Amino acid sequence: MAATEHDSTSPRSGAPAAGGAGPRRDRSPEHAEPSRFLPHVQGLRAIAVLLVVLYHFWPGRLPGGYAGVDVFFVISGFLITGHLMRELTATGTVRLGQFWARRARRLLPASLLVLLFCAIVAASPYLMPVSGLQREISEIIASTFYVENWYLAFTSADYLNHAGDPSMVQHYWSLSLEEQFYVLWPLLMLLAAWIGTKFFSGRRRTAILVTLAVVSAASLLFSIVFTLTNPAPAYFVTFTRMWEFGLGAMIALVPALRIRHALGSFVLGWAGIIALVYTAFRFDGTTTFPGYAALLPALGAAAVIAASNAERWWYPTRILSVAPMRFTGDISYSLYLWHWPLIIIAPSVPFWGLSIYHRVALLAICFVLAWLTKRFVEDPARGWRVLTLRPAKVTLWASLAAMLLVAGTAGGAWALNAPAYQQGVQQLAELRDNPPECFGAASVLDEDCADAAPSDTILPSPGFAGVDKPSDEQCFVQLNDARPVSCEFGSDAPDAPTVALIGDSHAFQLLSTFQRIADDNGWRLVTYFKGACPWNDTPLSTGGAFGDACTQWRGDVAADLQADPPDVVFTSALATTPYSAAGYDSSYDAAVAGYRAAWSTMTDAGVPVVTVVDNPVWETDPNKCLRTRDAASCEGARSDVLVANDPLRGAAEGQQDVTLLDFTSVYCDDTTCFPVVGGAGVYRDQDHLTVTFVDSLAPQYTAALKSALAAAG
């Protein structure tokens, strides 16, 4: 979500009073001509921020709430373009220094305050895992200088599918994109105005309108193509969103688009709200976004802005103007800034969590903090006379100094914790090479360990478990990528037995262990991994581009396997994967049938299949609890974290040439599941196992594969 302009519509935000003596020195000439207050736009801001905040608090309830940022982009394009056009009309130019100084005074104080808070939190190993320190500091610095969106694009962050453990400042991607808009847009308008004056008989407005329309159309086309081909970075890069600012700009530049007719405004306004509600509840992480899908929320926002008639109380323009909506719109910027860091930090706070009661309380705290920040930081900073009564360059230099202060604080957090980070890296390397006796799963499965005393030390440490994962990410495809990417490890001898490891991220979590198994036994390991796409013939219930990509990936993998059959296949999958129930009594029955159909392509050819019952899935990463509490306090009820009917179990039962491994007794007893087993930290996040723990299961995986190979002859 982006921070939008607040001085654009409300008299309380500093617009000059009618009949005044003219613009003060602290005001950009863009305000020489007062603008009419549009309270329903403030209400639209409230909708936008609530969509994003509620999506982050309850992603399953409002799966498309992330589109709230697109609403903000349209609002910003409308407001800022109107401001700039008024200044160009009144003065013939835009005083860029004044314009940028006002943006800095408006947006930076609250933004840098929250970043400073995050930098201080990052220095605490009790609130932030040491393993994530490097990424946290990098993103805080990127956010400070408003390039967070490009940082995430270059690191291929997966925003919609929540890959990895997001940083406290990941939400700054939209603020970064909007700041880039503030830099580029006035330059683009000035260039267009110059062209209009120089070559088109002074028709500056027409030149600006045509230029922005062409840029917006090019941006939309780029967004559609780039989202289809590179969906992860496409979510963040500036050019895939520029058209949304342009859409708002068209409403500002073309008066005919602002509908004042009563019936037309009523229909248009409610159509826009319905479009936003539909987006919030029907879009989700599998939607191809932004691309063409972003047209719906963007056009919905544009429709609400364009609906200008407020004669009746039941008109959307009036409903959006009620006091609670305007209040939420007023604090929307600070509310957005605060809510995400608190969500990330909360599970690590002792005696806190993210239960329904904790979430509601945390949401209330976010509103209080947002109001306090608006009242005591945002508003005073706008009129701080030490800056407003001086040239614009004073504000800009002061802004740079404040940004360097925040970046320096982040650097200090890194320096303070760097020794612990290096120690964690060394500890993890030593642990993989020389695990303790009776460690991890061995403490339960090895009879010789029955009397062994439990370890008081958790390895890897809860602060470093997040990086204990396979490193060969080039072998793992996700989102809408349908390529059947295959990687090979182990022996390259022509007669080496071939083991195929296939599945989603719960198969990928086994990769490092299976590499070592292949090396130790002289086997060839071939892998096929796609996020959220198990090796199953039943379509996912999540359709669209993601579902199509999963279906295509499965077909291509099947063709590869049939063209060059392995000697044995090992597969695993997330038990809660949603399958389409079409043609079956339930999605469970459909999943079971789909697994059997996929496996039969191998077993019918004499290739055995080995699979494993899925591990428990926690609501939040148990390491957040383990950093501040003992292991017993972080246990979970078996009924809450373990899927009772894993379709993998049902699919394997009674099937010839299919071996089922079940380690449920390692993770859980009859009532409770454990985040630590035999001194080993089991999880690196809420549902993926650490490589360290998977390594402790290597003897069981090896035995099952050897048995299957022997049976196949």
Side-chain angles (χ1 to χ4, degrees):
M1 194 192 80
T4 57
E5 270 308 292
H6 285 67
D7 68 347
S8 54
T9 57
S10 174
R12 291 174 292 179
S13 61
R24 299 196 326 240
R25 287 182 60 198
D26 64 321
R27 298 189 187 279
S28 169
E30 70 194 58
H31 294 279
E33 190 178 312
S35 60
R36 183 170 63 89
F37 178 41
L38 299 176
H40 75 284
V41 174
Q42 200 76 338
L44 184 60
R45 281 197 186 110
I47 290 179
V49 73
L50 289 174
L51 285 177
V52 177
V53 170
L54 295 178
Y55 164 67
H56 285 154
F57 271 93
W58 293 281
R61 302 292 180 87
L62 205 69
Y66 55 81
V69 299
D70 303 271
V71 176
F72 269 87
F73 293 156
V74 176
I75 294 174
S76 289
F78 169 70
L79 298 175
I80 292 301
T81 304
H83 287 333
L84 294 172
M85 196 65 237
R86 284 192 295 273
E87 181 173 357
L88 272 166
T89 301
T91 68
T93 188
V94 172
R95 293 170 59 183
L96 292 174
Q98 283 283 3
F99 176 79
W100 289 331
R102 287 181 62 82
R103 304 291 77 73
R105 290 195 297 269
R106 177 166 309 286
L107 303 176
L108 262 60
S111 172
L112 295 180
L113 172 65
V114 175
L115 287 173
L116 184 63
F117 167 80
C118 292
I120 294 171
V121 169
S124 170
Y126 295 101
L127 295 176
M128 281 291 112
V130 177
S131 62
L133 180 65
Q134 194 172 50
R135 188 199 66 239
E136 288 283 353
I137 299 305
S138 297
E139 292 197 31
I140 289 173
I141 293 174
S143 299
T144 300
F145 295 101
Y146 290 97
V147 291
E148 170 72 349
N149 63 317
W150 288 102
Y151 177 91
L152 294 175
F154 287 135
T155 56
S156 296
D158 179 6
Y159 184 80
L160 296 183
N161 285 279
H162 314 288
D165 194 10
S167 74
M168 290 182 288
V169 299
Q170 182 168 299
H171 63 316
Y172 269 72
W173 75 268
S174 59
L175 278 70
S176 299
L177 195 153
E178 185 142 353
E179 289 297 332
Q180 294 156 25
F181 160 74
Y182 291 146
V183 173
L184 294 174
W185 211 246
L187 295 175
L188 190 62
M189 291 182 67
L190 279 174
L191 175 62
W194 177 82
I195 293 173
T197 301
K198 187 77 172 176
F199 301 105
F200 297 99
S201 305
R203 289 180 293 182
R204 292 179 302 184
R205 190 182 191 93
T206 301
I208 290 172
L209 180 63
V210 172
T211 299
L212 297 186
V214 170
V215 169
S216 300
S219 170
L220 176 58
L221 179 62
F222 174 78
S223 178
I224 293 172
V225 174
F226 197 50
T227 300
L228 291 173
T229 57
N230 295 276
Y235 194 86
F236 300 106
V237 300
T238 308
F239 309 121
T240 61
R241 307 284 184 147
M242 196 62 71
W243 67 270
E244 295 175 311
F245 297 100
L247 180 60
M250 294 301 105
I251 303 174
L253 294 174
V254 183
L257 295 178
R258 298 194 287 277
I259 308 302
R260 294 178 176 84
H261 182 271
L263 179 60
S265 178
F266 173 84
V267 173
L268 190 65
W270 279 116
I273 291 176
I274 291 170
L276 295 179
V277 171
Y278 179 88
T279 299
F281 287 98
R282 300 298 297 175
F283 283 22
D284 58 24
T286 65
T287 303
T288 305
F289 204 89
Y292 60 84
L295 280 166
L296 184 61
L299 289 172
V304 174
I305 294 172
S308 302
N309 191 297
E311 293 181 0
R312 301 289 186 270
W313 68 265
W314 60 84
Y315 286 12
T317 46
R318 287 283 292 275
I319 293 175
L320 290 176
S321 303
V322 298
M325 296 296 286
R326 288 175 58 180
F327 170 78
T328 304
D330 282 342
I331 66 170
S332 59
Y333 179 41
S334 289
L335 180 59
Y336 180 71
L337 290 173
W338 280 112
H339 85 283
W340 182 248
L342 297 186
I343 289 175
I344 296 298
I345 296 166
S348 300
V349 176
F351 311 110
W352 197 270
L354 284 178
S355 68
I356 181 63
Y357 304 106
H358 288 130
R359 290 174 192 260
V360 172
L362 192 63
L363 182 60
I365 292 171
C366 290
F367 269 85
V368 172
L369 277 175
W371 177 80
L372 291 172
T373 304
K374 173 74 163 55
R375 175 69 176 81
F376 297 106
V377 178
E378 285 190 65
D379 290 344
R382 294 173 192 170
W384 197 18
R385 296 175 66 84
V386 70
L387 296 178
T388 58
L389 296 180
R390 287 172 171 78
K393 63 182 179 181
V394 175
T395 293
L396 299 177
W397 281 111
S399 299
L400 178 60
M403 294 163 79
L404 291 173
L405 173 64
V406 173
T409 303
W414 167 254
L416 184 64
N417 290 280
Y421 183 88
Q422 297 302 327
Q423 182 181 359
V425 172
Q426 183 178 357
Q427 179 194 67
L428 196 57
E430 293 175 351
L431 179 61
R432 290 187 180 181
D433 292 337
N434 298 293
E437 295 291 332
C438 296
F439 179 70
S443 66
V444 178
L445 300 175
D446 190 337
E447 295 180 358
D448 294 337
C449 296
D451 298 325
S455 172
D456 294 330
T457 303
I458 302 174
L459 298 173
S461 65
F464 222 78
V467 296
D468 193 11
K469 58 185 178 181
S471 58
D472 296 280
E473 294 184 359
Q474 75 279 4
C475 303
F476 184 77
V477 299
Q478 52 185 324
L479 294 172
N480 302 331
D481 191 345
R483 295 173 300 135
V485 173
S486 174
C487 292
E488 295 188 13
F489 306 93
S491 175
D492 56 3
D495 59 345
T498 299
V499 177
L501 179 59
I502 309 173
D504 59 13
S505 62
H506 280 218
F508 179 68
Q509 71 186 358
L510 310 178
L511 176 57
S512 296
T513 302
F514 272 56
Q515 287 175 353
R516 283 187 283 276
I517 292 174
D519 290 336
D520 292 343
N521 290 275
W523 297 339
R524 172 174 170 256
L525 177 65
V526 179
T527 66
Y528 294 93
F529 306 115
K530 178 168 173 58
C533 184
W535 185 37
N536 188 305
D537 274 7
T538 298
L540 302 178
S541 63
T542 50
F546 178 81
D548 293 341
C550 180
T551 300
Q552 181 181 338
W553 177 84
R554 290 169 170 176
D556 291 343
V557 169
D560 284 359
L561 293 174
Q562 290 171 357
D564 185 13
D567 294 290
V568 62
V569 174
F570 193 103
T571 187
S572 62
L574 178 68
T576 56
T577 300
Y579 293 94
S580 171
Y584 296 91
D585 293 337
S586 66
S587 60
Y588 171 82
D589 291 337
V592 168
Y595 280 124
R596 289 178 174 174
W599 300 346
S600 67
T601 61
M602 290 288 96
T603 56
D604 289 350
V607 178
V609 172
V610 182
T611 189
V612 60
V613 174
D614 193 26
N615 54 264
V617 174
W618 300 65
E619 182 181 12
T620 60
D621 182 356
N623 290 291
K624 294 180 179 180
C625 173
L626 292 169
R627 288 201 298 270
T628 56
R629 284 163 267 184
D630 60 51
S633 301
C634 301
E635 296 169 352
R638 177 172 172 143
S639 57
D640 292 337
V641 301
L642 186 68
V643 175
N645 294 314
D646 187 342
L648 278 167
R649 186 199 304 274
E653 289 177 349
Q655 297 300 297
Q656 188 175 3
D657 294 329
V658 176
T659 301
L660 177 69
L661 299 176
D662 187 351
F663 300 124
T664 302
S665 62
V666 176
Y667 304 117
C668 313
D669 62 20
D670 291 341
T671 60
T672 306
C673 293
F674 311 104
V676 180
V677 174
V682 179
Y683 301 94
R684 59 178 166 90
D685 55 30
Q686 62 264 36
D687 67 292
H688 294 101
L689 305 175
T690 61
V691 171
T692 295
F693 185 77
V694 176
D695 280 349
S696 72
L697 289 166
Q700 285 70 38
Y701 291 131
T702 304
L705 291 170
K706 285 183 175 179
S707 178
L709 287 169

